Amino acid sequence: MDEKGTTALLLAGVLGVVFSLPIILVLCGLAFGQAAVFYRRKQLSEMGRYLLVGGLWMVIFTLLWWNYYSFNYLRPDVLAYQKPYYLSLPLTFSEWGSFLKKLFAVFRSPLDLSWPGLAALIVTTGCWSLWSRDRGRLLPLLLPVLFTVGLSMAERYPFHGRFLAFLLPVFFILVAQGIGQVMEGPPWRLLTGILILAVLMSQPLGRSL
């Protein structure tokens, strides 16, 4: 990426943050994920460019947060509404159950997929498929999700419903990758992948008919 590319990426990110607060999580996932990839490849100049862009995005986000967003997001009524949707660090067996229930709820809303457990398995399969083929493509996808989980556990961002709409492309890419992995090989695997896709889409398709 040359200087023009760096400038264009920086401006696009600033514009995105202005119009959508949570997009900073996706942008930082992209910037720092790519920086990690270039570090592994020993391409330090490219790594530096992405670190610079990611750092500047965070500065712009911080300025916007303290000058505008904090007044809306830190109101007592907003905090009270969001509190049930925060994730908490699971320390006991029962807490793990509650944690996974909230985590898997993303597959019902906003993804609107049937069988959250099956959807989670397919997403895991998609992650494994990308990891085994090209780790550099997986990290920028996973980092926004991990950042969001971390913020939710710090009680700074709710892990629920429409608040996670910005993660929809990430999850659908991983679902598609996972189903594609299932379909590879003999014909019975192709049929299995089609069946899994039909099961996952049965609920939204049923409501649309």
Side-chain angles (χ1 to χ4, degrees):
M1 183 170 61
D2 57 15
E3 293 183 2
K4 290 184 178 180
T6 303
T7 303
L9 187 62
L10 175 62
L11 292 178
V14 170
L15 188 62
V17 171
V18 168
F19 286 99
S20 174
L21 173 66
I23 200 68
I24 188 64
L25 299 171
V26 177
L27 293 172
C28 286
L30 169 65
F32 298 131
Q34 286 298 116
V37 170
F38 285 120
Y39 174 77
R40 290 184 69 250
R41 296 175 181 174
K42 307 300 182 183
Q43 296 177 269
L44 299 185
S45 61
E46 287 295 319
M47 180 195 74
R49 289 181 187 274
Y50 278 98
L51 287 177
L52 175 63
V53 168
L56 289 174
W57 280 339
M58 292 185 68
V59 169
I60 297 297
F61 165 78
T62 303
L63 292 174
L64 288 172
W65 170 263
W66 288 113
N67 285 282
Y68 174 71
Y69 289 117
S70 60
F71 297 106
N72 294 311
Y73 281 83
L74 299 181
R75 296 201 321 261
D77 57 324
V78 174
L79 294 175
Y81 170 75
Q82 294 178 353
K83 189 172 181 60
Y85 305 121
Y86 291 138
L87 297 173
S88 56
L89 182 65
L91 299 176
T92 65
F93 184 79
S94 61
E95 288 177 348
W96 267 106
S98 176
F99 177 80
L100 292 176
K101 183 178 180 180
K102 288 184 177 180
L103 201 62
F104 285 5
V106 68
F107 296 108
R108 290 201 179 278
S109 177
L111 267 72
D112 199 26
L113 296 175
S114 312
W115 293 65
L118 178 60
L121 179 61
I122 292 300
V123 166
T124 303
T125 303
C127 291
W128 173 81
S129 176
L130 281 177
W131 176 263
S132 61
R133 298 183 185 195
D134 187 357
R135 299 177 186 179
R137 294 170 57 196
L138 178 61
L139 192 59
L141 286 174
L142 282 186
L143 280 181
V145 180
L146 297 178
F147 288 157
T148 307
V149 170
L151 284 176
S152 183
M153 294 176 72
E155 297 190 355
R156 291 295 180 268
Y157 195 81
F159 199 86
H160 175 74
R162 64 182 179 83
F163 296 102
L164 303 176
F166 68 98
L167 292 177
L168 282 172
V170 172
F171 281 106
F172 280 127
I173 288 172
L174 294 175
V175 167
Q177 184 70 30
I179 292 178
Q181 179 67 32
V182 172
M183 288 181 171
E184 288 185 1
W188 68 267
R189 294 189 58 171
L190 174 62
L191 294 175
T192 301
I194 294 174
L195 178 61
I196 291 174
L197 181 60
V199 169
L200 292 178
M201 298 300 295
S202 61
Q203 182 173 291
L205 287 176
R207 282 201 300 265
S208 65
L209 297 177

